[in-house]
Amino acid sequence: MTRAAPEDPRAARTRARLREALLAECAERPLEEVGVAALVRRAGVGRATFYVHYDGLEALAVDACADVVRDAVEALHAWRGRPDPVHAPPALAEFFGSLTPHSALYRSLLAPGGGGPLGRVLHRDLRAYSLRERELAGAADAPLVASAVAATFAGVLADWLHGLLDATAADIADQVWQLLVALHASR
């Protein structure tokens, strides 16, 4: 088994500064109105440095929002034993509630229905996690159910962020949880 080379700490710090600067910019204006010049000024790096790390603002935005994907995957799997079929794990409701500060940015990267650059990352990571879990459990139709779980969650999350589903964070957590439990039980 090979190990990934350790990341250069300077590069990691630079990317972290760029992510923080983007989130700060997006707290003041939509992503579409953020310019590279203002972003690099806020981050305290040069324009060329930005392009060493990212090929554009969308790539930086997806990277800055990648924690949302990890948080979503962890929240969906934050239970042990037999899942409550009605009430989501508290971590899932907390996840939905945590989206408010940057919801406009998430909406710009996650299209209704679950598409868009952040939707693709969410679907890929959630499907991989679900597939691994189902295969370890010896579940039937693991690829099919993993795809359905990923698509359902990404779609519901996106539609909720876009205001197509009227529910509180706690209510949408319970509703999507019920769908996911049903998908897992159906096969």
Side-chain angles (χ1 to χ4, degrees), residues 31-100:
L31 178 62
E32 303 79 40
E33 295 177 15
V34 173
V36 173
L39 176 78
V40 297
R41 227 181 353 267
R42 187 180 283 245
V45 302
R47 190 177 188 94
T49 299
F50 170 79
Y51 286 107
V52 165
H53 296 283
Y54 298 101
D55 63 3
L57 286 173
E58 185 177 278
L60 170 58
V62 170
D63 186 36
C65 295
D67 285 341
V68 169
V69 172
R70 284 187 290 279
D71 291 347
V73 172
E74 288 175 18
L76 284 171
H77 295 90
W79 55 273
R80 295 291 172 249
R82 188 174 177 91
D84 179 337
V86 176
H87 301 289
L92 190 56
E94 291 166 13
F95 164 75
F96 277 98
S98 74
L99 299 175
T100 303

Side-chain angles (χ1 to χ4, degrees), residues 5-29:
E7 182 177 26
D8 178 355
R10 292 170 300 176
R13 282 192 301 271
T14 299
R15 280 193 295 281
R17 287 170 56 190
L18 288 165
R19 288 189 301 265
E20 289 169 14
L22 178 78
L23 292 174
E25 286 288 320
C26 288
E28 298 170 4
R29 65 187 55 78

Side-chain angles (χ1 to χ4, degrees), residues 106-107 109-120 122-123 147-165:
Y106 302 141
R107 280 191 302 274
L109 299 170
L110 187 61
L118 189 58
R120 287 188 293 275
L122 177 60
H123 187 277
S147 290
V149 164
T152 298
F153 185 78
V156 169
L157 172 62
D159 288 356
W160 181 73
L161 283 169
H162 282 277
L164 301 174
L165 299 172

